[in-house]
């Protein structure tokens, strides 16, 4: 019963925010800012750039709130704006570069899954070591759940480049995790 009333209040909050109610907009910002900063941070290594992308993203959210049709997840709608803003930030910083490469499907060796007891913060640091192109494709695919066709369209690259970037990102991460495990278990 309480879940339903929370959902109704949430819907009312969006409705008020659409009408320009600053208090409702602030409440929506407070509700979603921590998650959306985390989304931006996945793409942008520097906290300041992630914060800038998130704030610009929220400006777009409130500017275009009228285009949200209450179909699907509101959080998903905001998240897509944050992802797009983070990618725009990478482009603005001239950090997003893709070498047009393709790998023949049959020649891609499967990346083994490695058991590890790494904390989320450690994993994020490892992801941050990836070149921005690898990192962006990896996060879009592995974290956000985008398909290669969607990634290709969003980043204006070919599907094969998206697949190659993901493959190379996984391979680099696998090497990093293996190295970390060896250091942790004293077997280097």
């Amino acid at each position: 019963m309480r879940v339903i009333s929370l959902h109704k209040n949430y819907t009312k909050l969006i409705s008020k925010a659409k009408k320009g109610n600053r208090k409702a907009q602030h409440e929506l910002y407070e509700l979603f800012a921590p998650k959306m900063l985390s989304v931006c941070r996945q793409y942008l290594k520097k906290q300041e750039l992630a914060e800038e992308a998130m704030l610009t993203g929220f400006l777009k959210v409130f500017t275009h709130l009228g285009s949200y049709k209450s179909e699907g997840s509101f959080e998903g709608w905001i998240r897509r704006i944050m992802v797009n803003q983070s990618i725009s930030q990478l482009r603005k910083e001239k950090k997003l570069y893709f070498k047009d490469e393709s790998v023949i499907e049959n020649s891609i060796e499967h990346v083994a899954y490695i058991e590890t007891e790494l904390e989320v913060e450690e994993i994020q640091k490892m992801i941050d070591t990836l070149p921005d192109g690898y990192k962006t494709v990896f996060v879009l695919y592995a974290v956000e759940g985008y398909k290669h066709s969607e990634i290709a369209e969003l980043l204006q690259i070919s599907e094969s480049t998206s697949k190659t970037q993901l493959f190379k990102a996984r391979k680099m991460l696998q090497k990093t995790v293996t190295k970390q495990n060896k250091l942790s278990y004293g077997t280097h």
Side-chain angles (χ1 to χ4, degrees):
M1 183 97 136
R2 183 164 186 177
V3 173
I4 294 170
S5 66
L6 283 175
H7 178 69
K8 285 182 181 178
N9 290 338
Y10 184 68
T11 303
K12 287 178 185 176
L13 196 57
I14 295 168
S15 179
K16 286 179 182 179
K18 280 183 176 182
K19 293 175 184 169
N21 181 310
R22 296 287 183 213
K23 185 178 178 189
Q25 290 175 346
H26 180 74
E27 285 183 51
L28 285 174
Y29 173 83
E30 290 294 321
L31 276 169
F32 291 102
K35 273 187 185 176
M36 296 307 127
L37 179 58
S38 178
V39 168
C40 294
R41 177 62 186 83
Q42 290 173 336
Y43 295 90
L44 301 159
K45 292 177 186 175
K46 294 183 181 175
Q47 183 73 17
E48 310 84 58
L49 291 177
E51 289 171 0
E52 183 181 330
M54 181 199 66
L55 291 172
T56 305
F58 269 107
L59 180 61
K60 289 181 179 180
V61 165
F62 295 126
T63 302
H64 297 92
L65 199 53
S67 69
Y68 176 67
K69 304 292 184 209
S70 299
E71 297 169 356
S73 163
F74 182 66
E75 182 177 333
W77 183 76
I78 294 176
R79 186 180 198 97
R80 183 173 279 280
I81 291 171
M82 295 300 162
V83 168
N84 287 331
Q85 187 57 44
S86 297
I87 291 169
S88 293
Q89 185 73 32
L90 283 169
R91 284 189 177 123
K92 181 177 142 187
E93 299 289 320
K94 306 254 189 269
K95 298 205 179 246
L96 201 55
Y97 170 76
F98 299 97
K99 185 177 177 187
D100 193 22
E101 306 171 77
S102 61
V103 174
I104 300 170
E105 289 290 322
N106 296 336
S107 71
I108 295 178
E109 58 188 80
H110 293 283
V111 178
Y113 290 93
I114 299 171
E115 285 191 37
T116 184
E117 294 185 20
L118 296 172
E119 296 294 323
V120 172
E121 192 174 313
E122 292 175 276
I123 293 169
Q124 183 62 53
K125 285 179 183 175
M126 288 178 183
I127 292 170
D128 283 344
T129 65
L130 294 171
D132 289 315
Y134 292 8
K135 177 181 176 179
T136 303
V137 171
F138 178 82
V139 172
L140 285 169
Y141 186 86
V143 178
E144 300 290 338
Y146 283 69
K147 296 176 184 162
H148 286 292
S149 59
E150 296 169 317
I151 295 169
E153 184 179 329
L154 184 64
L155 299 177
Q156 299 167 353
I157 59 176
S158 69
E159 280 188 54
S160 64
T161 299
S162 176
K163 290 176 183 179
T164 301
Q165 296 284 310
L166 177 65
F167 171 74
K168 289 183 175 184
R170 284 180 169 166
K171 198 169 184 176
M172 283 182 74
L173 287 172
Q174 183 180 16
K175 285 180 183 176
T176 305
V177 169
T178 300
K179 183 179 177 182
Q180 183 67 32
N181 281 345
K182 285 180 181 177
L183 292 173
S184 296
Y185 299 124
T187 59
H188 68 280

